[in-house]
Amino acid sequence: MSTGYPDLDALLARLEAVPALGSAELEAEEIAVLGRKSGALTAALKRVATLPVDERKGFGAAVNRLKTRFEAAFAARREALEAERQAREQAGVDLTMPGRERWVGAEHPVTRVVDEIIGIFRGIGFTVAVGPEVETEWYNFLALNFPPEHPAMDLHDTLYLDAAPVEEEPGGRLLLRTHTSPVQIRTLMQSPPPVRVVIPGMVYRSDAFDASHSPAFHQIEGLAVDEGISFVDLKATLIHFARRFFGPATKTRFRPSFFPFTEPSAEMDVECQLCHGSGCPACKGTGWMEILGCGMVHPAVLENCGLDAERYTGWAFGMGPHRIAMLRYGIPDIRLLLEGDMRFLERVGRP
Ligand code: 2NL
């Protein structure tokens, strides 16, 4: 129904739209149309005084009629919205209730440690390799120069599969790998040196689940094999790693050790991350924390992979990212890293 005035007719579309407004929109529209300061109809009413005398009465009346229609439409819509709200309330739905906050998750500290370690080695030319978690005795032990009677191969330490051996003995029995070294053996057998790889993954041992042990845990190993590689390369690379990972001023030390697959072998310590060398309960007063084992690849291991040990040499290391995460974040119990309790991740994980 036309008002008889084109500039007032322009508001009719807005009048028709009122019954579809939501409550916030309704409030805004009331102000936009009827508001004392800048409402569209208020402005039209103010214009009345500027018109020639004979036009004032007719226009003023049209504005007032339109104003009455708007007021009625707003009131009707407000009532309808209130009725809807009451109906919802009676049905037990409260749309004003705050939503449940959804936790988007966090990066696990072990994942973060593994990613950072891999990143540091990638930065100096290493690639990443992965391999099977079910292995044979040959790849897991014998190729690595474990003597056939080594206690690590015992049922008490290693989880064997209840399955037929893949080959006749020796070395054909199936097991859950106890370290990621078999992937290094596979890498050396498949691609000739130069080899520079890091290998992250889960490993398994027949251990009790207590504050410092778990039957399943992560390991990350590295291997460099080429012509002319020496212990100097091992030390320089691992010291570089420690400084990148723990900070540029980090002190390191190497102690002699023993592994069947390396000769000579060593363990690397970094200054205690909690007391910075002065001695505390975490480092048992020594000021040092062991972070990895390493050594020059035993010539027998190279020969087992079909390589000429007179021509090639190499070094390798292995470390446990759980231990490193515990040292770095001061986590007292390995089970906190493995149980998947979201309350722990909410506190320690990186969002
Ligand atoms: C440790 C010690 C180590 C290796 C792992 C390795 C692999 C091949 C040849 C020679 Cl194929 N060595 N790996 C070497 C030294 C130490 O791990 O304490 N891990 C948690």
Side-chain angles (χ1 to χ4, degrees):
M1 188 173 60
S2 170
T3 64
Y5 296 90
D7 41 349
L8 294 183
D9 280 352
L11 290 169
L12 290 175
R14 290 171 74 170
L15 182 64
E16 271 164 36
V18 170
L21 297 178
S23 58
E25 295 166 322
L26 179 64
E27 223 173 284
E29 186 66 350
E30 286 197 72
I31 292 168
V33 176
L34 302 176
R36 241 170 256 199
K37 273 203 180 140
S38 52
L41 275 178
T42 316
L45 214 46
K46 278 181 191 154
R47 251 195 357 266
V48 173
T50 68
L51 293 175
V53 181
D54 58 333
E55 288 175 24
R56 285 186 197 170
K57 204 173 169 194
F59 184 72
V63 173
N64 276 322
R65 272 197 304 278
L66 188 56
K67 190 178 170 193
T68 310
R69 289 170 70 191
F70 263 108
E71 283 167 348
F74 288 145
R77 183 61 188 147
R78 216 187 339 271
E79 259 172 53
L81 284 170
E82 173 60 16
E84 277 175 33
R85 194 192 63 75
Q86 278 180 13
R88 272 197 305 267
E89 198 173 87
Q90 272 165 17
V93 182
D94 178 3
L95 292 185
T96 67
M97 193 165 86
R100 273 181 217 162
E101 202 177 318
R102 214 189 309 171
W103 187 53
V104 294
E107 187 178 38
H108 194 281
V110 171
T111 308
R112 183 171 169 189
V113 162
V114 169
D115 287 350
E116 277 183 38
I117 294 170
I118 287 174
I120 292 169
F121 282 97
R122 286 175 82 104
I124 50 174
F126 282 68
T127 54
V128 179
V130 290
E133 293 181 5
V134 171
E135 274 292 3
T136 64
E137 267 179 312
W138 192 81
Y139 281 104
N140 195 80
F141 291 120
L142 301 178
L144 285 152
N145 198 39
F146 281 75
E149 300 301 319
H150 195 282
M153 296 172 69
D154 198 281
L155 291 171
H156 289 291
D157 292 323
T158 297
L159 295 160
Y160 286 89
L161 268 68
D162 195 4
V166 290
E167 287 161 12
E168 286 313 304
E169 308 267 334
R173 276 197 294 173
L174 286 170
L175 48 76
L176 294 181
R177 67 183 182 190
T178 60
H179 41 200
T180 55
S181 313
V183 188
Q184 287 159 289
I185 298 295
R186 291 175 181 277
T187 305
L188 282 180
M189 292 176 78
Q190 269 159 33
S191 40
V195 164
R196 280 163 182 77
V197 281
V198 282
I199 294 144
M202 288 302 283
V203 302
Y204 303 88
R205 295 197 188 159
S206 185
D207 270 336
F209 198 24
D210 63 29
S212 55
H213 295 84
S214 161
F217 54 101
H218 286 262
Q219 204 200 10
I220 185 160
E221 287 198 26
L223 173 75
V225 175
D226 204 344
E227 289 181 45
I229 290 208
S230 76
F231 204 84
V232 174
D233 302 296
L234 176 158
K235 283 190 78 176
T237 311
L238 293 178
I239 291 170
H240 166 81
F241 159 72
R243 289 184 181 153
R244 289 295 296 271
F245 189 84
F246 292 105
T250 303
K251 291 199 185 74
T252 48
R253 74 174 182 186
F254 288 80
R255 286 176 293 105
S257 184
F258 177 83
F259 304 107
F261 33 82
T262 47
E263 181 60 35
S265 306
E267 266 152 30
M268 185 170 87
D269 298 341
V270 295
E271 66 186 274
C272 176
Q273 297 299 297
L274 300 181
C275 67
H276 295 283
S278 55
C280 70
C283 60
K284 299 193 183 80
T286 64
W288 296 96
M289 283 176 159
E290 182 196 324
I291 61 157
L292 58 81
C294 57
M296 299 305 293
V297 179
H298 197 292
V301 175
L302 295 172
E303 299 282 349
N304 287 340
C305 298
L307 296 175
D308 178 357
E310 292 294 327
R311 181 173 170 198
Y312 295 114
T313 50
W315 60 269
F317 70 88
M319 60 186 143
H322 286 117
R323 248 185 80 76
I324 295 185
M326 289 165 78
L327 296 183
R328 196 193 220 187
Y329 304 111
I331 297 161
D333 188 320
I334 195 172
R335 288 171 291 197
L336 288 166
L337 289 171
L338 291 157
E339 280 170 345
D341 188 327
M342 291 303 174
R343 292 170 301 183
F344 169 76
L345 256 199
E346 278 178 52
R347 289 187 177 204
V348 181
R350 181 166 65 169

